[in-house]
Amino acid sequence: MANFKINDKFWTNYQNIVSEVMLPYQYEILSDSLDDEDLEKSHALRNFKIAAGEEKGEFYGMVFQDSDVAKWLEAVAYSLAINPSKELETKADEVIELIGRAQMEDGYINTFYQINSPDKRWQNLQEDHELYCAGHLIEAGVAYFEATGKTKLLETVKRFADYIDSVFGETKREGIPGHPEIELALIRLYNVTDDKKYLNLANYFINQRGKNRRFYIEESEKRGGTTTFGMDPKNTDYSQATNPVREEKNAIGHAVRATYLYTAMAMSAGNSGEEELTQACKCMWDSMIDRQMYITGGIGSSFHGGECFTADYDLPNDTAYNETCASIALIFFAKEMLKITNEAKYADIMERALYNNTLSGMNLAGNRFLYANPLDFDPKLAETVPIQSHIKKERPKWYTCACCPPNLARLIASLDRYTWHETKDILYSDLFIGGIYESEKMKVEIITDYPYYNSVSYKIHNADRISKLALRFPQWSENTALKQNGKEISPTMESGYAVIDIKNGDEIELTPDITPKKVYSNYNINGNLGKCAIMAGPLIYCFEEIDNGENLNALQIDAAATPKSVDFEDGKLSKIKAVKISGKCLKQSDGLYSLAPPSSQPVELTAIPYYAWGNRGKCRMKVWLVER
Amino acid sequence: MANFKINDKFWTNYQNIVSEVMLPYQYEILSDSLDDEDLEKSHALRNFKIAAGEEKGEFYGMVFQDSDVAKWLEAVAYSLAINPSKELETKADEVIELIGRAQMEDGYINTFYQINSPDKRWQNLQEDHELYCAGHLIEAGVAYFEATGKTKLLETVKRFADYIDSVFGETKREGIPGHPEIELALIRLYNVTDDKKYLNLANYFINQRGKNRRFYIEESEKRGGTTTFGMDPKNTDYSQATNPVREEKNAIGHAVRATYLYTAMAMSAGNSGEEELTQACKCMWDSMIDRQMYITGGIGSSFHGGECFTADYDLPNDTAYNETCASIALIFFAKEMLKITNEAKYADIMERALYNNTLSGMNLAGNRFLYANPLDFDPKLAETVPIQSHIKKERPKWYTCACCPPNLARLIASLDRYTWHETKDILYSDLFIGGIYESEKMKVEIITDYPYYNSVSYKIHNADRISKLALRFPQWSENTALKQNGKEISPTMESGYAVIDIKNGDEIELTPDITPKKVYSNYNINGNLGKCAIMAGPLIYCFEEIDNGENLNALQIDAAATPKSVDFEDGKLSKIKAVKISGKCLKQSDGLYSLAPPSSQPVELTAIPYYAWGNRGKCRMKVWLVER
């Protein structure tokens, strides 16, 4: 099996934060050990104890509270693989034991139903996330087995999956999960167990979607119309259950639901090689990436209507939802698309989502989190103005619906899985992260200070069984140089990759152009008209009030100006590079409207990477500024 | 009493539409005579018949459905004064008789409560609009008496008001109307009856607001927490009931509620001369006009959160609410502020709201209506995108909540009341509308083709008892000329009015500069950054796709260009002048984001008056375009 040991200035720091800060912090929250009245209560582990009959009490939290524990366990698994920790492993083992004790005789696990209404399982697939929680538990079981070799949780989730398989299927009970997740989890379970029934069940859930548009209505009628969230059983769009997956033309509905589903579709297509399903995945990808994605890699523009896609080009900056989980799911989907297409455009977007909207989901210290990631933030309007009610004034310590923080932890801790992919003949370098990659076919060392420096060096230690290396030429770099053993080469380009023949001992250096650039928006995006943003390498930049004076709205970028990268000297944002560009500061006018055009004076503007915004107190932030 | 007989190309047409189209059409709707499944059912007159015991059936409609009938009656009164119509008058008389028969022994009228729960009166002032409906009925009674001399409805509403006075007051039941309206109505009733008790009751309702912040909580508790609309009894901001009216610093909450209240406050201050209340009115005015008003005179920027004010400078163009009723209420408020201050700035805003956001509330034919008036409209996003759910793809025929259409009718039919005001010594010309003004003190004839031509001529026929005429120099005109008997004069300016000495036979000509201008926004308005709008005289202009090709987002106005007024040759929009200005059309870029700045080609842009938008089928519309 391939292994990539990350050793990278940028990412090793993040991975250490996950191991040393995020996971211990999140354990304290899940176990209700923190005495802090500003903190949303979790109660997630206690739910398991109550379900196991070891404590008395009531279920507390979201109907999918269990999944916080599952995602934490999965993240711990990845963390243990990179930063072994007796303490974390002991805690994880205890949690795994607890889950085992809470599991029912037939294999079922869901503390909400076990505590509240054990006889009402599977009656509200649209709203109640039983299969979603099962999926996360399965992913945790698979990951923990892969990381530690321990089989306890894997066995637990296999029993659960076996039970689910006994319930749902063509000849059994009909089931269309309201929140996709079980599908990709079952395929992961198939990948480690080689048991086809899990793949078949995943494919059943994928293929069943949209076949019976009345499914949620029927289950609602059967249970007498009771509802958990007040969701409309007729609203199948929200759960991507309107059309069969091969017939849908647009990415619609809840963005995380959608992207988890598309990930599973791509995994299934990767397994079967089915062209029609691959095409359906590409269609969903294009719908998101070509028409519904923010420049930061954020997707799902609207909180109102439910964390969802809305319409092509409807990408407002201030009310943007851009759930952190949705960007993470986009990375999952991108990785699967990479594996089935070997096209660099999927890695380009994976990188975009990773370095921008995803990392924006946490503070630099790793103990504050964002759910919604706006591109135009005004603390005076956040939470107050009704259509900005979802925009937090600052990153909170935790959430009632806490899906994003453990999702960040599991992604960052497993980043090695997103950096490379192999085909029979070619090793693909998808992300530029330092470390040592080693598989049965090849050993490569990568040295880089990316994303702030543009040299990416590859040393080939072992290429005995594979002779081609494919290096992504990033789409944002108009001029990427490539040297092999010191000599510039003009490689064969294949779908965005430079594919080169290599041999043991080769030294290859890739240098994309990471000088900062202005970026312009398709004019269909209403909120970006007349504006530009700044990008340097994979990093989208933003302007914060703290660096640019009191009113960001007064600032314009000069049309003739060129952005310049500079070292940034703010202790709170160590290790970043800022961008400077000349601009204008408008003078305040009297009243709301005036016949006189605003006058202005020249200023130098400072932008910092978007992922680092909001780390220096509440202050206004903008990605797009007027260019004139 | 002063009388102004309008004879004006622009407004006589609108007044005739009210008399000949709107009022007959609205009667058919109120009486459910139209067989049209696209039409929201009214049932409003049938509610009265059921309450009168003349029909069987259930109450149908909003809890304030009665007010549609009251506003229609009030509009008919004004219409009869300008365009006598036996047919309309007969219908109105029948409706008045019906209301009389529905009135209960003690004077109470409210069909919702009379039909549904006669024993539960006055238990939910926060939500149930009983006093609001009473107010509209009182206004109708006053207006019908003034227009026709008939006392039937006046007597009915006096009995109702007497009954209300027996219920509420300092030493009686506490009452804070959830939707202000009764206050201004009672002062109007006082003005025709000279009965101080009505003024006192109005002042009680005004002064009681904010005195007991727990009032809605207490009434909710008393009725066991039942709710009509699910309003939070703690949310006093929504109903302007958080602070006593003299202590509030910002216009907050539901915009129509707010502005009806401020109108009553100004009427009360006009009666008492109280300085503190006058200052409070000015404070509310400034809060709206200096910081929360769209360029079209629209107020209340948010549908979400309830047709409300949000925060200073939060004026998004695409999600704008700008309820037609709120602009109409702003005109009411402006008129009262004019009367107590004699400052032209109030007339400037009255004119702005009248010619733009208010008239946008109806189509040119008078049988389709808008509730929300956006400044950036995209039929592909309207109703579909969750934060644009309130933006209609086209003006509908009617509404479930049909407050705006009859409000338009009563405003337009009574426009004579907003055109002039008199003090002891001065006649103020507030709006420029042709016709003959006649009071005990003065007779003046005004000839003008305003707003499309800028000459406003005044012929003084009788100035025996008053010797000063004050002509508003509009704030938007940087250069206003004034001639008296053919000779240019430099008048004394007082608070925006040119005050001139006149005598019988004088001919005065006012010529404001109505050439089209670019208007710039205060940079605090986020959505207008880098953009300009076009204004000519009082008219704000907008760009529609039908005149400017397929994608308005591609268009920019040239920074160096000057707008020009042109005759417009489209049969559907007769009698307007368009504005032409040179600009650029951007070329479409590939994908969502690109490093290359967009290229463009020169185009000539065409703008039409905002009030006329949406009269040629569904098409994109924008008030603000990027200027470069």
Side-chain angles (χ1 to χ4, degrees), chain A residues 270-289:
Chain A
N271 259 294
S272 67
E274 185 198 323
E275 184 54 27
E276 196 182 353
L277 192 56
T278 303
Q279 284 305 324
C281 291
K282 288 182 176 176
C283 181
M284 293 305 101
W285 179 271
D286 292 348
S287 172
M288 290 197 289
I289 306 311

mmCIF file of all heavy atoms in Angstrom, chain A residues 270-289:
data_model
loop_
_atom_site.group_PDB
_atom_site.id
_atom_site.type_symbol
_atom_site.label_atom_id
_atom_site.label_comp_id
_atom_site.label_asym_id
_atom_site.label_seq_id
_atom_site.Cartn_x
_atom_site.Cartn_y
_atom_site.Cartn_z
ATOM 1 N N GLY A 270 -15.690 4.186 -10.243
ATOM 2 C CA GLY A 270 -14.303 3.717 -10.237
ATOM 3 C C GLY A 270 -14.237 2.212 -10.090
ATOM 4 O O GLY A 270 -13.393 1.546 -10.697
ATOM 5 N N ASN A 271 -15.128 1.662 -9.311
ATOM 6 C CA ASN A 271 -15.169 0.215 -9.130
ATOM 7 C C ASN A 271 -15.683 -0.520 -10.353
ATOM 8 O O ASN A 271 -15.132 -1.532 -10.764
ATOM 9 C CB ASN A 271 -16.065 -0.135 -7.935
ATOM 10 C CG ASN A 271 -15.249 -0.438 -6.710
ATOM 11 O OD1 ASN A 271 -14.530 -1.424 -6.678
ATOM 12 N ND2 ASN A 271 -15.323 0.436 -5.725
ATOM 13 N N SER A 272 -16.754 0.016 -10.934
ATOM 14 C CA SER A 272 -17.406 -0.715 -12.023
ATOM 15 C C SER A 272 -16.859 -0.320 -13.391
ATOM 16 O O SER A 272 -17.005 -1.059 -14.353
ATOM 17 C CB SER A 272 -18.909 -0.430 -11.999
ATOM 18 O OG SER A 272 -19.144 0.942 -12.323
ATOM 19 N N GLY A 273 -16.273 0.873 -13.462
ATOM 20 C CA GLY A 273 -15.859 1.368 -14.769
ATOM 21 C C GLY A 273 -17.037 1.832 -15.622
ATOM 22 O O GLY A 273 -16.888 2.112 -16.806
ATOM 23 N N GLU A 274 -18.200 1.959 -15.005
ATOM 24 C CA GLU A 274 -19.397 2.309 -15.779
ATOM 25 C C GLU A 274 -19.299 3.727 -16.355
ATOM 26 O O GLU A 274 -19.150 4.699 -15.617
ATOM 27 C CB GLU A 274 -20.631 2.216 -14.865
ATOM 28 C CG GLU A 274 -21.927 2.455 -15.635
ATOM 29 C CD GLU A 274 -23.085 2.808 -14.709
ATOM 30 O OE1 GLU A 274 -23.178 2.255 -13.595
ATOM 31 O OE2 GLU A 274 -23.899 3.668 -15.114
ATOM 32 N N GLU A 275 -19.434 3.814 -17.666
ATOM 33 C CA GLU A 275 -19.279 5.095 -18.349
ATOM 34 C C GLU A 275 -20.430 6.055 -18.037
ATOM 35 O O GLU A 275 -20.223 7.254 -17.832
ATOM 36 C CB GLU A 275 -19.190 4.852 -19.853
ATOM 37 C CG GLU A 275 -18.919 6.101 -20.696
ATOM 38 C CD GLU A 275 -17.671 6.871 -20.247
ATOM 39 O OE1 GLU A 275 -16.736 6.247 -19.671
ATOM 40 O OE2 GLU A 275 -17.644 8.089 -20.444
ATOM 41 N N GLU A 276 -21.651 5.516 -17.954
ATOM 42 C CA GLU A 276 -22.807 6.382 -17.729
ATOM 43 C C GLU A 276 -22.718 7.062 -16.357
ATOM 44 O O GLU A 276 -23.011 8.255 -16.216
ATOM 45 C CB GLU A 276 -24.096 5.568 -17.836
ATOM 46 C CG GLU A 276 -25.327 6.448 -18.000
ATOM 47 C CD GLU A 276 -26.619 5.628 -18.051
ATOM 48 O OE1 GLU A 276 -26.545 4.387 -18.098
ATOM 49 O OE2 GLU A 276 -27.688 6.265 -18.021
ATOM 50 N N LEU A 277 -22.314 6.318 -15.367
ATOM 51 C CA LEU A 277 -22.195 6.893 -14.030
ATOM 52 C C LEU A 277 -21.030 7.890 -13.975
ATOM 53 O O LEU A 277 -21.130 8.941 -13.336
ATOM 54 C CB LEU A 277 -22.011 5.774 -12.988
ATOM 55 C CG LEU A 277 -22.150 6.179 -11.521
ATOM 56 C CD1 LEU A 277 -23.489 6.837 -11.235
ATOM 57 C CD2 LEU A 277 -21.971 4.950 -10.606
ATOM 58 N N THR A 278 -19.950 7.576 -14.678
ATOM 59 C CA THR A 278 -18.824 8.519 -14.766
ATOM 60 C C THR A 278 -19.287 9.831 -15.402
ATOM 61 O O THR A 278 -18.963 10.921 -14.925
ATOM 62 C CB THR A 278 -17.684 7.905 -15.605
ATOM 63 O OG1 THR A 278 -17.299 6.655 -15.015
ATOM 64 C CG2 THR A 278 -16.488 8.841 -15.673
ATOM 65 N N GLN A 279 -20.070 9.721 -16.460
ATOM 66 C CA GLN A 279 -20.586 10.925 -17.111
ATOM 67 C C GLN A 279 -21.491 11.713 -16.166
ATOM 68 O O GLN A 279 -21.449 12.945 -16.144
ATOM 69 C CB GLN A 279 -21.365 10.567 -18.383
ATOM 70 C CG GLN A 279 -20.486 10.189 -19.574
ATOM 71 C CD GLN A 279 -19.449 11.258 -19.910
ATOM 72 O OE1 GLN A 279 -19.706 12.452 -19.789
ATOM 73 N NE2 GLN A 279 -18.250 10.825 -20.279
ATOM 74 N N ALA A 280 -22.293 11.009 -15.388
ATOM 75 C CA ALA A 280 -23.177 11.689 -14.430
ATOM 76 C C ALA A 280 -22.340 12.451 -13.412
ATOM 77 O O ALA A 280 -22.660 13.582 -13.039
ATOM 78 C CB ALA A 280 -24.078 10.682 -13.730
ATOM 79 N N CYS A 281 -21.237 11.847 -12.971
ATOM 80 C CA CYS A 281 -20.337 12.528 -12.029
ATOM 81 C C CYS A 281 -19.751 13.789 -12.663
ATOM 82 O O CYS A 281 -19.674 14.845 -12.032
ATOM 83 C CB CYS A 281 -19.195 11.603 -11.622
ATOM 84 S SG CYS A 281 -19.716 10.211 -10.601
ATOM 85 N N LYS A 282 -19.331 13.665 -13.918
ATOM 86 C CA LYS A 282 -18.749 14.835 -14.601
ATOM 87 C C LYS A 282 -19.777 15.949 -14.748
ATOM 88 O O LYS A 282 -19.459 17.132 -14.629
ATOM 89 C CB LYS A 282 -18.216 14.425 -15.982
ATOM 90 C CG LYS A 282 -16.952 13.576 -15.905
ATOM 91 C CD LYS A 282 -16.434 13.235 -17.295
ATOM 92 C CE LYS A 282 -15.115 12.461 -17.184
ATOM 93 N NZ LYS A 282 -14.614 12.018 -18.509
ATOM 94 N N CYS A 283 -21.011 15.547 -15.015
ATOM 95 C CA CYS A 283 -22.088 16.534 -15.170
ATOM 96 C C CYS A 283 -22.309 17.282 -13.851
ATOM 97 O O CYS A 283 -22.419 18.516 -13.832
ATOM 98 C CB CYS A 283 -23.342 15.796 -15.623
ATOM 99 S SG CYS A 283 -24.742 16.860 -15.879
ATOM 100 N N MET A 284 -22.318 16.552 -12.731
ATOM 101 C CA MET A 284 -22.496 17.195 -11.427
ATOM 102 C C MET A 284 -21.293 18.098 -11.128
ATOM 103 O O MET A 284 -21.431 19.193 -10.592
ATOM 104 C CB MET A 284 -22.644 16.154 -10.307
ATOM 105 C CG MET A 284 -23.911 15.320 -10.364
ATOM 106 S SD MET A 284 -25.431 16.298 -10.395
ATOM 107 C CE MET A 284 -25.841 16.235 -12.128
ATOM 108 N N TRP A 285 -20.119 17.608 -11.458
ATOM 109 C CA TRP A 285 -18.907 18.402 -11.239
ATOM 110 C C TRP A 285 -18.990 19.733 -11.994
ATOM 111 O O TRP A 285 -18.786 20.801 -11.418
ATOM 112 C CB TRP A 285 -17.672 17.614 -11.702
ATOM 113 C CG TRP A 285 -16.404 18.376 -11.534
ATOM 114 C CD1 TRP A 285 -15.832 19.227 -12.441
ATOM 115 C CD2 TRP A 285 -15.552 18.396 -10.372
ATOM 116 N NE1 TRP A 285 -14.676 19.760 -11.918
ATOM 117 C CE2 TRP A 285 -14.490 19.266 -10.659
ATOM 118 C CE3 TRP A 285 -15.605 17.756 -9.135
ATOM 119 C CZ2 TRP A 285 -13.472 19.525 -9.726
ATOM 120 C CZ3 TRP A 285 -14.595 18.004 -8.218
ATOM 121 C CH2 TRP A 285 -13.543 18.877 -8.519
ATOM 122 N N ASP A 286 -19.310 19.641 -13.273
ATOM 123 C CA ASP A 286 -19.361 20.871 -14.079
ATOM 124 C C ASP A 286 -20.424 21.827 -13.545
ATOM 125 O O ASP A 286 -20.224 23.041 -13.529
ATOM 126 C CB ASP A 286 -19.658 20.531 -15.544
ATOM 127 C CG ASP A 286 -18.497 19.777 -16.196
ATOM 128 O OD1 ASP A 286 -17.402 19.725 -15.601
ATOM 129 O OD2 ASP A 286 -18.701 19.213 -17.290
ATOM 130 N N SER A 287 -21.542 21.277 -13.122
ATOM 131 C CA SER A 287 -22.612 22.124 -12.600
ATOM 132 C C SER A 287 -22.122 22.911 -11.385
ATOM 133 O O SER A 287 -22.438 24.097 -11.214
ATOM 134 C CB SER A 287 -23.813 21.255 -12.226
ATOM 135 O OG SER A 287 -24.784 22.004 -11.550
ATOM 136 N N MET A 288 -21.330 22.258 -10.552
ATOM 137 C CA MET A 288 -20.801 22.948 -9.366
ATOM 138 C C MET A 288 -19.651 23.881 -9.725
ATOM 139 O O MET A 288 -19.634 25.038 -9.323
ATOM 140 C CB MET A 288 -20.295 21.913 -8.342
ATOM 141 C CG MET A 288 -21.381 21.108 -7.681
ATOM 142 S SD MET A 288 -20.795 20.292 -6.165
ATOM 143 C CE MET A 288 -19.730 19.043 -6.878
ATOM 144 N N ILE A 289 -18.686 23.358 -10.445
ATOM 145 C CA ILE A 289 -17.416 24.077 -10.618
ATOM 146 C C ILE A 289 -17.509 25.163 -11.679
ATOM 147 O O ILE A 289 -16.914 26.228 -11.549
ATOM 148 C CB ILE A 289 -16.283 23.077 -10.958
ATOM 149 C CG1 ILE A 289 -16.219 21.959 -9.913
ATOM 150 C CG2 ILE A 289 -14.963 23.799 -11.118
ATOM 151 C CD1 ILE A 289 -16.218 22.431 -8.474
#
